Amino acid sequence: MTNRISGALRSPITFSVLAGVLIGALFLLGTGADPIAAYEAVLTGSLGADGIGSTLTTLTSVLGMALALAIPLRAGLINLGGDGQMVLGGITAAVTGLYSPLPAPLTVVLALLAGMAAGAAYATLAALCENHLGVPLLVSSLLLSYPAVSLASYLARYPLKEPGSSLPQTRAMPDGVALPSFGDSTVTLGLVLVVLAAAAYGFTDRRTAFGYEIRMTGLNARFSAYAGVERRGLTLKLMSVSGAIAGLVGAIGVLSFPYRFVDGSLTAPGYTWTGLTAALLATAAPLGTVIASFFFAVLAVGGLAMERTTEVPRELTQVLQAIVIVFLAARLTFPRLPRRKAEVKAKEAV
Amino acid sequence: MFLDSDLLMSALRALTPILLAALGGAVCERAGVFNIGLEGMMLMGCFTAVATSWFTGSPWLGVLAAALAAAAYSLILAVGTVTLRGDAVVLGIAMNLLAVGLTSFLLRTVFGVQGTFDDPSLLGLPLIGGLSPLAYLSWAAVAVASVMLSRHVWGLRLRGVGEAPDAAATLGVSPAKYKYAAVLVSGVLCGLAGAQLALGNVTLFTENMTAGRGWIAVVAVMLGRALPLGVLLAALLFGLAEAAGFRLQGLGLPQQATDAAPYVVTLGALFLTTARRRRTRPSTGAAV
């Protein structure tokens, strides 16, 4: 037990988090605030009775995007197109919700599935770019994200715009086309869906051959290639799952308050980047991703409370997130660099 | 007339920040450091340029401070990848995130505003022939980088370090030193790119005002195969796409379509060049 505790304390993750908190405290001192009071405000504001609902709502999106990025990351693939996949999922779910002739409960299911399909299709496109056109996934997924966000923005502002409204938003979903929420909070069934997705990822990772293939590719891409893992197929599968989850997050966003697609409301809070940060912090491990997502959801919501009580800008929490990853990145080695070196060596040997 | 001197001028304005940042990226690439933190370094440059110009009243000091601040910021990448041997991709992403958070935080604490700082007494760079001096500097930088990388001992050693670090070390060239230098050069160039964006193209600071230009610069490095002239052509392509987008917006096309244009054009160009490279690969052997 003591061994495990000292091991955890010496792990780079703990070190990075502590370093982030310490540097954050220095920033707070620099702005003339009391760090202890500020951190206390973060915790009470996010975990107290007033904030916990908000934290769980934020967790739904952050954990969803973290999973979307963690699943390919487990195999060393970085999907930077989360924004585009999420927004396409959202707008597709909105269109389905508005125009589906089915009864409301079926429409909700259909909208979720349509959102996932749209996200998956778009993410697959990025995978095809890497597989068949030789554009690195990192770049293709990111560049594809911009036109998708622009397209959704166009649709929400022109063809699908709510008549008479001055806001760039679609009409509200019809009655009953919404995810059920818990009590009178903003937490919806979406949280359950995302947690189920996390559980499914955990099970796949631990207990299935596919999960083993993914982990092996992440740990040693050359070894797994020798062992018969087909990289292109794996990229395609992982990206479609990743995009489906990102699309799901978009669909959940539309089927929860304010029950419509509002231009920018999915991308502005930066769930994709927070999710990526959480996935990186956890090195894409399933349980770790859940814990890291919760940590960042607490930071995001608590940041608002800190801003109210201590007048320290909430952007500080974004700084904290990034500092944690900067410290961690210096100790991390994902397979892409060694692989490149290995390729060079292989070439030299020939 | 669609293709006229106005379009060319606005293309040249749009091109300058991309070109400066992409040159920095190319130097890093040649030294064997994959730098995707260009976006963040540029953003740090933007904020420092605006803050310094506002406090000192001199846009030139703003440019200088931007170059120094971005160079200091780039040390994170140098220390992280060269000394600590961390993952360059993760570090680059973290640096981009950190820059967004840090500049927004500083905007709030230093200027007490959220979103945009736009003050009539903020001085921008003077224009010479319709372009900022940094535009001319960026063209000169292409020439200098081109000569350095292909002719000068320093550039040849830098390339050696990037291509075969062990061999370079055996010859007494310290790979770490050259990699640090390359990263610092990219920092300076990204700082200038940021200054151009915030004091040249416009005179204000907005949260996340680089808006993906650093990523476009990363792509420009790939498109231009890390050659200064190639990078210039790639950045020109982006500049033309952005300028043409603005023009089409004037003709009634929705803003969303023109916003997306540069990314689509860049992606298209990337497809074409990699596809061509792939077709020619079997005949030319192992080149690239």
Side-chain angles (χ1 to χ4, degrees):
Chain A
M1 192 65 203
T2 40
N3 255 345
R4 283 184 94 177
I5 292 172
S6 71
L9 281 179
R10 262 182 288 139
S11 93
I13 295 175
T14 321
F15 172 80
S16 309
V17 171
L18 285 179
V21 170
L22 261 175
I23 293 180
L26 292 180
F27 267 102
L28 288 163
L29 285 174
T31 58
D34 174 4
I36 294 173
Y39 282 142
E40 213 181 299
V42 169
L43 289 180
T44 53
S46 58
L47 299 175
D50 295 336
I52 188 76
S54 183
T55 304
L56 290 176
T57 309
T58 307
L59 178 67
T60 307
S61 300
V62 171
L63 176 57
M65 290 318 286
L67 285 173
L69 297 159
I71 290 169
L73 187 65
R74 196 67 158 159
L77 302 167
I78 299 185
N79 171 14
L80 286 184
D83 265 352
Q85 293 146 19
M86 171 174 60
V87 165
L88 281 188
I91 195 86
T92 309
V95 171
T96 314
L98 285 172
Y99 296 107
S100 153
L102 299 173
L106 284 178
T107 299
V108 171
V109 175
L110 190 67
L112 287 173
L113 291 177
M116 289 173 75
Y122 208 60
T124 311
L125 194 60
L128 290 175
C129 286
E130 165 159 298
N131 285 350
H132 298 289
L133 296 165
V135 180
L137 189 67
L138 192 77
V139 170
S140 61
S141 61
L142 182 89
L143 286 179
L144 280 171
S145 190
Y146 290 95
V149 171
S150 293
L151 174 70
S153 165
Y154 172 76
L155 291 174
R157 278 167 195 271
Y158 300 100
L160 297 174
K161 186 171 182 298
E162 182 181 36
S165 163
S166 61
L167 295 169
Q169 58 184 24
T170 63
R171 279 184 289 131
M173 294 293 123
D175 262 351
V177 180
L179 285 166
S181 53
F182 297 107
D184 50 1
S185 71
T186 53
V187 186
T188 64
L189 198 63
L191 180 62
V192 178
L193 294 178
V194 172
V195 169
L196 282 177
Y201 172 41
F203 179 79
T204 310
D205 189 64
R206 278 261 146 248
R207 294 264 181 267
T208 67
F210 183 49
Y212 181 71
E213 281 183 4
I214 298 172
R215 260 188 299 146
M216 272 307 113
T217 307
L219 292 171
N220 190 334
R222 285 184 77 209
F223 170 76
S224 68
Y226 272 125
V229 176
E230 213 256 310
R231 193 171 170 82
R232 287 180 167 199
L234 191 71
T235 306
L236 215 54
K237 280 184 221 159
L238 289 177
M239 281 303 284
S240 63
V241 172
S242 171
I245 296 178
L248 176 69
V249 174
I252 290 173
V254 166
L255 295 169
S256 309
F257 181 80
Y259 308 110
R260 55 177 94 220
F261 183 90
V262 184
D263 185 27
S265 71
L266 289 172
T267 47
Y271 296 131
T272 301
W273 296 106
T274 307
L276 177 62
T277 321
L280 287 172
L281 179 62
T283 57
L287 184 61
T289 303
V290 176
I291 297 171
S293 301
F294 187 70
F295 173 55
F296 287 141
V298 164
L299 266 186
V301 175
L304 291 171
M306 176 187 73
E307 184 173 270
R308 279 196 300 272
T309 52
T310 62
E311 294 184 348
V312 176
R314 63 169 178 276
E315 283 83 4
L316 181 73
T317 56
Q318 209 182 341
V319 175
L320 283 184
Q321 273 177 30
I323 288 176
V324 170
I325 298 303
V326 167
F327 274 99
L328 192 66
R331 311 277 199 91
L332 271 184
T333 28
F334 276 102
R336 55 190 61 242
L337 288 182
R339 199 173 66 224
R340 193 176 290 167
K341 265 182 216 150
E343 274 169 14
V344 171
K345 284 214 180 93
K347 257 186 216 158
E348 280 166 3
V350 174
Chain B
M1 193 54 209
F2 190 79
L3 267 174
D4 51 20
S5 60
D6 268 5
L7 185 82
L8 189 65
M9 287 303 266
S10 63
L12 288 178
R13 269 193 293 274
L15 141 97
T16 307
I18 308 289
L19 177 57
L20 285 167
L23 273 180
V27 172
C28 278
E29 187 70 33
R30 282 310 183 83
V33 180
F34 184 43
N35 187 347
I36 59 168
L38 301 177
E39 173 101 359
M41 295 182 191
M42 263 168 98
L43 196 56
M44 295 301 283
C46 291
F47 182 81
T48 317
V50 165
T52 313
S53 172
W54 195 75
F55 281 115
T56 62
S58 158
W60 299 107
L61 284 177
V63 171
L64 185 69
L68 290 177
Y73 192 62
S74 74
L75 276 175
I76 297 178
L77 181 68
V79 174
T81 58
V82 181
T83 307
L84 299 173
R85 297 182 179 278
D87 189 318
V89 173
V90 177
L91 256 175
I93 292 172
M95 285 173 75
N96 293 338
L97 289 176
L98 181 59
V100 176
L102 204 56
T103 51
S104 305
F105 177 76
L106 288 172
L107 186 67
R108 292 282 295 279
T109 44
V110 175
F111 294 109
V113 294
Q114 205 171 352
T116 303
F117 176 73
D118 181 7
D119 193 287
S121 63
L122 177 67
L123 292 174
L125 288 165
L127 298 182
I128 305 169
L131 291 170
S132 109
L134 289 178
Y136 300 101
L137 183 71
S138 71
W139 305 338
V142 172
V144 171
S146 196
V147 171
M148 287 291 279
L149 285 173
S150 60
R151 297 267 184 275
H152 198 272
V153 174
W154 195 87
L156 297 176
R157 284 185 180 157
L158 187 85
R159 281 163 52 191
V161 163
E163 277 153 32
D166 297 340
T170 320
L171 294 174
V173 175
S174 155
K177 227 183 256 176
Y178 278 85
K179 287 184 177 190
Y180 262 80
V183 173
L184 281 173
V185 165
S186 78
V188 168
L189 288 167
C190 286
L192 294 176
Q196 163 66 20
L197 208 55
L199 294 178
N201 288 8
V202 288
T203 312
L204 55 84
F205 179 83
T206 308
E207 274 177 27
N208 204 6
M209 72 184 295
T210 43
R213 286 185 181 80
W215 290 102
I216 293 279
V218 171
V219 178
V221 175
M222 292 180 185
L223 264 180
R225 297 195 203 183
L227 294 165
L229 277 175
V231 164
L232 173 66
L233 286 177
L236 185 64
L237 182 74
F238 174 85
L240 278 171
E242 196 173 303
F246 275 127
R247 176 64 59 92
L248 289 171
Q249 207 176 313
L251 296 176
L253 214 69
Q255 189 201 342
Q256 286 76 25
T258 58
D259 277 352
Y263 302 99
V264 176
V265 169
T266 313
L267 199 60
L270 207 52
F271 288 163
L272 290 177
T273 53
T274 46
R276 203 192 54 218
R277 226 173 287 174
R278 289 187 145 209
R279 266 205 304 280
T280 54
R281 191 181 294 162
S283 55
T284 54
V288 187

